[in-house]
Amino acid sequence: MKRSSLREQIFKILFRVEFNNVDEMPMQEEMFFSSGDLEATDADREYITNKVNRILEKLPEIDAALSERMKGWTLERIGRVELAILRLGVYEIVYDDEIPAGVAISEAVELAKKFGADNAGAFVNGVLAKFVPGES
């Protein structure tokens, strides 16, 4: 599976955090993979699961960083789709050394355009740009 496809699956699982407790996420991940909608190799599944779990571990820090950088916005005001995308993007920019910040932002914007509300791409781009040194 391509990296962009893997990222989309990670986003779809992260979206479930808004409807479930973090401690329920292992069960949610299993339901996600057993639904039959996704053909993933064992390596793909391991990559997706590991990244989701790393993001969930950093969720309090990610949410605090988002709250700090979003002037005039609270996490509660952001659409759930956009919040899941922002969390993924922030994780990739701040904590994932394998993903260049520009790629993380570009991929997040594409996810926002595909799954988010009107103008979600621009919103996601603006918020994530604040996490890149020298860009805000």
Side-chain angles (χ1 to χ4, degrees):
M1 195 178 293
K2 293 165 104 177
R3 272 260 168 120
S4 57
S5 297
L6 291 168
R7 187 176 281 105
E8 183 174 318
Q9 304 319 310
I10 292 164
F11 152 72
K12 288 178 180 178
I13 295 173
L14 283 178
F15 181 70
R16 294 178 179 217
V17 171
E18 291 303 304
F19 305 97
N20 300 279
N21 294 324
V22 172
D23 60 337
E24 296 172 337
M25 289 309 294
M27 181 181 65
Q28 289 297 317
E29 291 171 10
E30 188 56 42
M31 288 172 37
F32 178 80
F33 288 112
S34 65
S35 70
D37 295 338
L38 175 68
E39 290 186 30
T41 65
D42 289 342
D44 292 341
R45 183 178 173 148
E46 182 179 353
Y47 179 87
I48 293 166
T49 301
N50 287 340
K51 191 156 186 176
V52 166
N53 291 336
R54 288 191 309 269
I55 294 169
L56 293 175
E57 288 172 9
K58 297 287 188 187
L59 207 54
E61 292 97 329
I62 291 169
D63 285 354
L66 280 166
S67 293
E68 180 182 303
R69 286 174 175 83
M70 294 187 311
K71 305 295 181 217
W73 286 86
T74 62
L75 296 181
E76 293 77 26
R77 272 189 68 204
I78 300 172
R80 292 177 176 176
V81 167
E82 291 78 13
L83 182 57
I85 293 167
L86 286 170
R87 286 170 167 165
L88 173 56
V90 169
Y91 177 82
E92 289 187 338
I93 293 167
V94 176
Y95 300 104
D96 193 335
D97 295 333
E98 294 180 18
I99 312 281
V103 171
I105 292 172
S106 177
E107 291 284 334
V109 167
E110 289 306 311
L111 285 172
K113 287 178 181 177
K114 183 173 182 178
F115 295 102
D118 291 342
N119 298 319
F123 176 75
V124 165
N125 185 56
V127 172
L128 292 181
K130 294 177 181 184
F131 286 87
V132 180
E135 295 291 321
S136 51

